[in-house]
Structure formats: C-alpha cells, structure tokens
Amino acid sequence: MSSFIPSSPTLNPPYDIFTRRILPLLQSVYDEDTAQSLLDRIYAHLAPLLSKSLDEDLGKWSQDNILLITYGDSIRREGETPLVTLGNFLRRYLKDTITGVHILPFCPYSSDDGFAVIDYRAINPELGTWEDVKAIAREFNLMVDLVINHTSSESEWFQQFKQGQKPGCDYFICVDADTDVSQVVRPRNSPLLVRVETPEGEKHIWATFSEDQVDLNFANPDVFMEFVDILLYYVQAGAKYIRLDAIGYLWKELGTPCIHLPQTHALIKVLREILQTLNPQIALITETNVPNRENLSYFGNRNEAHMIYNFSLPPLLLNALLQGKSDHLRTWMMSMPPAPLGCAYFNFTASHDGIGLRPTEGLLTEDEYEQLIATMKQFGGEISMRQQSDGSESPYEINISLFEALKGTVKGEDEWQIQRFLCSQTIMMSLEGIPAFYIHSLLATGNDHQKVAQTGRKRSINRHQWDEAELFAQLEDTTSPQAQVLGELSRLIGIRRQQPAFHPNATQYTLHLKKALFGFWRQSMNRDQSIFSIHNLSDRPKKLPLTELNLVCTDPWCDLIGGTLITDLYQDVVLDPYQSMWITNKFDRLEK
C-alpha cells in the first residue's frame, strides 16, 4: 500500500465524530477488536487529508451537471496517446456541452476491457499517463472506477496467492470443490470456482465473473484497507465521482445468494463516510444491474450511495419506442420514489455494457419481452446469457449500439431512426436525476461486428474505436448521422442546463396521456418554473389537447425545444413522429 503520514487519533478532535459515524458500521461486519483496529488504521490514513467540515454537502449537483461515459481509447490518432486524443476531442466538441467525464478503467488489465485490473495505481501505458488523466480532471469532473469486487489473476496479489506469500495469500476466497454453491446468484455462465495450484496443493477460488477476475475476500480487513488506500489515491488524483463496480457481489456467505448482503451495504456506508471526511463534494455511485427494488436499496437511509444507476430506464425506454406506447414506462415511473435528500438517480440509456434485461423482470409482458429480443437480433444485436441456480441459462443483456437498436420498431426498419434516437435521449435528459451520455450515443455509432469477431466478446459490438480523422470528417459533414445527432443533442443539452426545473432533485410527476405519448411534469426546487416534458413515442403524428396539462392561465408558456409561443391554452398541438416538447412558463433562459 502507498504510505500516508499517520496522525495520532488522540490529537485530532474530529476523531470522535469519525468514531461515532464509522465504528458501528465496522462492528456490523467485523468483530469488535478488528473493527476498532480497522477504524484507527483508516483514520491514520485520512488525518492528513481531512476536510474542514464533516457536514454533508447537499449542493453537489444542479441542472448544469451532464456526464459523458467513454473508454480512454474510444478515439484514436496515430502517433498520439489515446488519453491526449480524448482530451483534445472533449475540448474541441464538448467543452460547452458536458461537465463531467467517466473514463472507464484506465489501469493495466488482463481482460474484460479494463475490468480485470492488474495494478490499481498505474495507468495503462497504451492509454497514456496519470498527467493525461489529471489534465482532463482539471477541466471536467472526473469519474473513476473502483473495481472493488475482484482483481486480475495477473495482479501482484494473486501471484502472491499462488506462491503462498503474504499478503496476497490471505486475500482470496477458497472453497472446497464439492461445496454446494447453487444458491449463488450468477451474472455469467462461467464456472464459479476456479482451480489453482499453490504450494499447499490444489485450491478452488471464487470467481464471480470469469477465471481471470478473481473475487477478493473482504472478510479480511486488510483487503478493505487496501481499497481505502486506493480510494484516497484516486481522490488525490482529482476524482469527483467514485463508481463502485459490481459492488452488489462484494460479500460472500455460503447458503445465501451472495448478492446485496448486509455486510456489503455496511461497507458502502463506510466508504461514503470516508469520502465525506475527505471532500463533501465527492459523490459515490453504485453499479448494480439488478431488478429495480434491489437497486433502490443502495440509497440506504440516505447513508449509502449518493447516486445509483437507473438500470430500469434503458430497456423500458427502448421497449416503449419499439412498441410505440408508454404504458410500462409510465407504470414504472409512477412507482419510482423521489431520490432521498443528498441522493440522485444516474440516468443513462447506453453504456459500455449491454442493455440489461434483469430490470425488466415483472414489468414487461412475455410477448413484449420476446418481441424485444427478436427485434434486437433483427437489427444486428447479440444476446448475452447468465446461468440460473438450476443450471439453465436465461437472457442477461442485449448487446447492440443504441443508435442501431432504434433504427426501426417491432414492425421493422423505417425512416425515423435519427428522430427516434433523439427522442430517447431527450426523455433521458428530462427525467429526475443526472444525465450521462455514452460517447457512442453522442456520436451515433453503429454496431461494430468486426470488433466482435476480433475479440470474441459480444460487448465489443458497442465499444467501437473511432479513427480521429474519420470521426472529424463525419462531424464536419452536416448530412452525416454523427453531425446531426451531436449537433442537436448539444443544442438540447445547452437548453437543459439552464432550466432549474431540470435540477436532479426537482419535483417529477407522471402525466396520464394517450398511450403513444409519454409526459411528465418537472417543477423547480423553488417552484417558480414548470416544464411539461412531452414525447411522441410513435411513428405517426399525435394530437395533444393542452387542456390535459396544468398550464396556469396567468403565466406565459413556450416550447423550449421548438421556440414556439403558446398563446391559446385551449388549443390542440400536434406532435410529429418522435417529436419532443419542453413546455415551460419560464423561457427567458431560452437561447436566442
């Protein structure tokens, strides 16, 4: 572990507050002596870095926050390290559009495009240097991955394990080969236990995701301490968002599903308290691609994740646009509680992974579920499977470019691809929460079948690497999908960032409109601005009587997107196929 200057707990007054907040959490995971010892070790590492205030910052975000999700090498230029190329692209095209960047794992790795980390404190030399990352962090809020559940089989820790050396020999989970692990929830269909030769003979170790991604044993407090130290390292490098990858699987206990266990929730709370003491503006985000109720549990009682991924949104929104109706989307939205104070939803429609299907459980009908999968295959997509407890397999996620996924409907391809795609992104950025755009959504990137053939991995279909010159040529051609999509989304994002009613925690209320229309009302925190966000999910024009909205007669109203003034509150407006409207009573902020 890297070294920090210890500070005596008895000499620093915040130690008492620190103890009250964290010791009970550690005691719920470890025995009393271990918990106290671990508390003192954590505090010794934090003492030189403690912020002046231990109070929570409830102003971490506003309507101005927009994030980009990207790999460090999503854009390449010959003779230049990809992180430098990425930084130049951000400054040239997105400086006035986004405020933060999630650079997906940039450490040396052995598989899974970065999620099998070999060295947590190093930068993959094929990407660049720490200075390249810090240069981006100086201009954009940086999100980094703490790949905490597992590490690479090529890591120093695992090499120590195979050689019977400290400390790594105590960092992994060994299970007898004949142990019944049928209750364990699996996100993959690979074997859970991997055979390894050690000086003590053959052992079987726990590997939730693959034989190259070996799960760490957090029952050993030294493992948790390692990750506290790595967390501090990332914070000092400029990270403003910490993403806990695959966090739901952190704690293992035979005889249970080994997902969402109380010890996992307790350790997340400890990490939140640690970040609170370092910098109250830093946000913790959990990645748990599971059914909605389970996902919501990671807010805790306002004491776990600051943000959770809105995993139900991508498949439900995709299905709504393929079917041309809003019923399931509306039902789900009505059941979603407002994010607690100090928390927010992290909204996205696409990412480096596929579109998860588990969040649709209990929401889509069987016929729609089958239609969704069949349509995605028709549009060039792949389906990844997971293993059930009885040994059978079931669909886990759809692997496809979102731009390609929306090239048509369940009826087949049509001419509305760009409009339908823009509708999906406009809905996402209108919802309660913080919007995050995958780089290949902003760039209208298609399916990369060639990369799938090269890697043998289905997820590669949505992990295209653009040649910078080719990309810039597309972006300069106003007729290309890339230029049209990035141009219009940049315009919409610019409008959105000025609207207080789009604050991540502003009021949201679902409207009951015709099934082809999806609408909801947002109201600013101080109640002076309303926005009625209305979207036509179908390929036909749809009429909306304005009397179905609560347009206060004493206010002027305007569609922010189209710039059209509404002079008659009793008129009908017609939305073209996939058209969106932001009808507001405060439009002095509308860009001229």
Side-chain angles (χ1 to χ4, degrees):
M1 297 192 303
S2 62
S3 58
F4 288 85
I5 302 172
S7 175
S8 171
T10 59
L11 299 180
N12 206 321
Y15 179 75
D16 293 339
I17 301 173
F18 193 80
T19 300
R20 287 199 305 272
R21 290 181 174 182
I22 293 182
L23 185 58
L25 297 171
L26 293 174
Q27 288 173 335
S28 70
V29 178
Y30 304 106
D31 65 69
E32 191 170 336
D33 290 342
T34 300
Q36 182 63 58
S37 173
L38 186 55
L39 175 83
D40 291 339
R41 291 169 65 189
I42 293 172
Y43 187 82
H45 281 241
L46 292 180
L49 306 171
L50 286 176
S51 64
K52 294 180 181 179
S53 172
L54 298 183
D55 294 331
E56 183 176 4
D57 180 5
L58 298 179
K60 285 185 182 69
W61 45 67
S62 72
Q63 65 275 8
D64 195 47
N65 292 92
I66 307 286
L67 272 78
L68 174 76
I69 304 168
T70 181
Y71 276 104
D73 58 358
S74 291
I75 306 172
R76 302 189 70 97
R77 177 180 181 179
E78 188 175 351
E80 186 173 77
T81 55
L83 285 170
V84 171
T85 304
L86 175 63
N88 290 336
F89 168 77
L90 296 175
R91 295 179 197 100
R92 178 170 177 173
Y93 285 101
L94 297 179
K95 185 174 180 60
D96 298 322
T97 301
I98 64 168
T99 58
V101 183
H102 175 197
I103 306 178
L104 290 155
F106 43 65
C107 300
Y109 69 96
S110 53
S111 65
D112 199 17
D113 284 349
F115 287 93
V117 178
I118 296 174
D119 184 349
Y120 287 87
R121 296 179 180 83
I123 297 291
N124 180 356
E126 294 182 6
L127 291 179
T129 67
W130 268 114
E131 184 48 46
D132 298 331
V133 173
K134 292 176 181 177
I136 292 174
R138 284 193 288 269
E139 297 185 65
F140 303 91
N141 292 327
L142 176 67
M143 181 187 291
V144 302
D145 288 279
L146 189 62
V147 184
I148 192 170
N149 175 72
H150 50 263
T151 191
S152 167
S153 64
E154 297 181 20
S155 67
E156 182 180 3
W157 294 337
F158 196 65
Q159 297 309 305
Q160 292 169 347
F161 173 83
K162 292 197 295 184
Q163 296 162 19
Q165 298 175 353
K166 297 281 187 179
C169 65
D170 299 322
Y171 279 12
F172 300 92
I173 303 167
C174 298
V175 180
D176 291 339
D178 58 356
T179 301
D180 180 8
V181 293
S182 61
Q183 292 188 52
V184 177
V185 170
R186 300 302 316 286
R188 300 286 185 273
N189 53 11
S190 57
L192 178 65
L193 303 180
V194 176
R195 182 171 58 83
V196 178
E197 293 294 337
T198 75
E200 299 176 358
E202 182 180 278
K203 293 186 178 180
H204 290 80
I205 56 152
W206 200 292
T208 298
F209 289 87
S210 76
E211 64 179 356
D212 185 45
Q213 294 166 289
V214 191
D215 288 46
L216 290 148
N217 182 12
F218 280 85
N220 178 352
D222 290 340
V223 172
F224 186 68
M225 216 32 241
E226 291 275 13
F227 279 90
V228 169
D229 200 58
I230 294 166
L231 180 68
L232 301 187
Y233 192 88
Y234 291 167
V235 169
Q236 290 180 304
K240 291 297 173 60
Y241 302 93
I242 304 294
R243 177 184 184 269
L244 300 180
D245 177 66
I247 187 65
Y249 302 93
L250 188 75
W251 195 271
K252 282 76 177 176
E253 187 174 306
L254 289 172
T256 75
C258 296
I259 186 171
H260 314 316
L261 295 184
Q263 295 92 334
T264 294
H265 286 283
L267 291 179
I268 295 171
K269 293 172 185 175
V270 174
L271 293 177
R272 174 167 172 149
E273 290 291 351
I274 288 172
L275 291 175
Q276 181 72 25
T277 64
L278 294 174
N279 182 346
Q281 291 191 329
I282 296 176
L284 191 68
I285 178 169
T286 51
E287 187 263 335
T288 51
N289 192 353
V290 294
N292 199 40
R293 183 179 293 273
E294 299 169 36
N295 190 33
L296 288 167
S297 71
Y298 284 85
F299 277 143
N301 185 22
R302 292 187 51 231
N303 57 357
E304 285 190 49
H306 295 100
M307 295 189 288
I308 63 171
Y309 278 77
N310 210 339
F311 275 111
S312 295
L313 177 61
L316 290 177
L317 181 54
L318 174 61
N319 180 73
L321 287 162
L322 294 179
Q323 296 283 349
K325 58 182 184 179
S326 62
D327 47 354
H328 298 309
L329 196 58
R330 186 171 61 243
T331 299
W332 160 76
M333 190 169 174
M334 289 171 60
S335 71
M336 287 290 284
L341 186 65
C343 301
Y345 292 110
F346 189 78
N347 293 326
F348 72 110
T349 53
S351 73
H352 60 292
D353 290 340
I355 299 171
L357 290 169
R358 286 205 69 201
T360 68
E361 293 176 9
L363 294 172
L364 298 185
T365 66
E366 186 65 29
D367 286 346
E368 287 179 337
Y369 185 82
E370 295 299 330
Q371 277 188 314
L372 174 61
I373 291 177
T375 304
M376 291 301 93
K377 289 180 178 179
Q378 180 185 344
F379 294 167
E382 304 273 357
I383 306 297
S384 293
M385 310 296 284
R386 72 183 182 99
Q387 186 173 328
Q388 303 274 40
S389 59
D390 61 2
S392 64
E393 293 186 345
S394 64
Y396 176 70
E397 68 178 20
I398 302 165
N399 302 115
I400 194 169
S401 146
L402 184 63
F403 187 64
E404 293 293 310
L406 291 169
K407 69 195 303 182
T409 68
V410 291
K411 296 179 289 187
E413 296 183 30
D414 59 25
E415 72 273 26
W416 300 106
Q417 181 178 17
I418 290 178
Q419 292 88 341
R420 187 181 294 111
F421 181 78
L422 289 171
C423 180
S424 74
Q425 302 307 287
T426 307
I427 290 173
M428 183 270 288
M429 75 172 88
S430 306
L431 293 168
E432 176 192 344
I434 296 173
F437 294 84
Y438 187 38
I439 191 168
H440 294 305
S441 292
L442 285 181
L443 299 178
T445 309
N447 293 329
D448 194 335
H449 294 290
Q450 182 178 355
K451 192 168 186 182
V452 173
Q454 290 172 348
T455 66
R457 297 190 299 271
K458 294 178 180 179
R459 284 181 168 177
S460 296
I461 199 170
N462 196 27
R463 298 178 179 180
H464 180 69
Q465 292 176 314
W466 278 97
D467 172 74
E468 185 191 62
E470 179 189 355
L471 174 61
F472 285 6
Q474 293 296 322
L475 292 176
E476 296 304 316
D477 177 4
T478 57
T479 65
S480 74
Q482 286 69 41
Q484 292 180 58
V485 167
L486 181 59
E488 181 61 7
L489 286 180
S490 297
R491 183 183 81 88
L492 293 172
I493 291 169
I495 295 172
R496 182 216 188 269
R497 288 178 59 181
Q498 300 176 68
Q499 313 308 320
F502 283 141
H503 186 285
N505 299 111
T507 296
Q508 178 170 285
Y509 182 82
T510 311
L511 301 175
H512 296 269
L513 307 173
K514 297 175 182 176
K515 69 176 184 178
L517 296 177
F518 180 53
F520 48 96
W521 171 59
R522 303 294 310 278
Q523 186 181 53
S524 60
M525 308 280 276
N526 64 4
R527 295 186 161 190
D528 72 333
Q529 184 186 32
S530 288
I531 294 179
F532 291 89
S533 185
I534 313 295
H535 312 270
N536 182 358
L537 304 181
S538 76
D539 57 4
R540 299 186 175 215
K542 293 297 174 182
K543 183 187 298 184
L544 171 68
L546 290 179
T547 52
E548 294 187 11
L549 308 181
N550 295 328
L551 303 184
V552 178
C553 64
T554 56
D555 290 343
W557 294 90
C558 175
D559 171 25
L560 289 170
I561 295 177
T564 305
L565 288 172
I566 294 174
T567 56
D568 181 1
L569 302 188
Y570 299 95
Q571 73 183 66
D572 294 341
V573 296
V574 177
L575 282 80
D576 291 332
Y578 306 106
Q579 181 182 348
S580 295
M581 299 182 74
W582 286 337
I583 300 174
T584 186
N585 60 334
K586 295 284 185 180
F587 46 91
D588 53 308
R589 303 176 182 89
L590 180 63
E591 291 183 347
K592 305 298 183 185

